[in-house]
Amino acid sequence: MFAALVALSPGSPVQAQPAATHPGGRDIVIGQSYLLTSAVLGDQRRINVYLPDGYGDPGRSFPVLFLLDGGEHEDFHHITGLAQINAAYG
């Protein structure tokens, strides 16, 4: 974990490159994104949903977290990553 933080720090000599420049690179995918039409707003809104491992298993329940301002290019990945860590370690 520490090495990853150092590699991503601003002063690090390692710079992030687009996956296309690195053979074998792949997208990081977490959750699903949906486009919903709102008759009230007369517009479309995007919602992003993350479901933890085990969601839908009989007898299990999970807390719900609503992130009101955090799209795919904002805080969605940070928050879902924290949710994964929390679920893994209770």
Side-chain angles (χ1 to χ4, degrees):
M1 182 71 160
F2 178 74
L5 293 176
V6 170
L8 295 176
S9 66
S12 172
V14 177
Q15 297 296 317
Q17 299 292 321
T21 64
H22 297 286
R26 62 178 175 78
D27 292 338
I28 298 173
V29 178
I30 183 168
Q32 297 287 317
S33 186
Y34 301 92
L35 194 58
L36 303 177
T37 301
S38 170
V40 173
L41 297 174
D43 198 1
Q44 292 185 325
R45 298 290 186 210
R46 180 160 303 280
I47 63 166
N48 302 304
V49 178
Y50 163 74
L51 300 175
D53 290 338
Y55 182 85
D57 291 352
R60 297 213 44 200
S61 64
F62 296 88
V64 176
L65 173 66
F66 293 94
L67 180 61
L68 300 178
D69 185 20
E72 291 176 80
H73 302 290
E74 296 162 349
D75 290 331
F76 181 73
H77 295 289
H78 302 142
I79 300 303
T80 53
L82 290 171
Q84 281 184 321
I85 290 170
N86 187 44
Y89 295 102

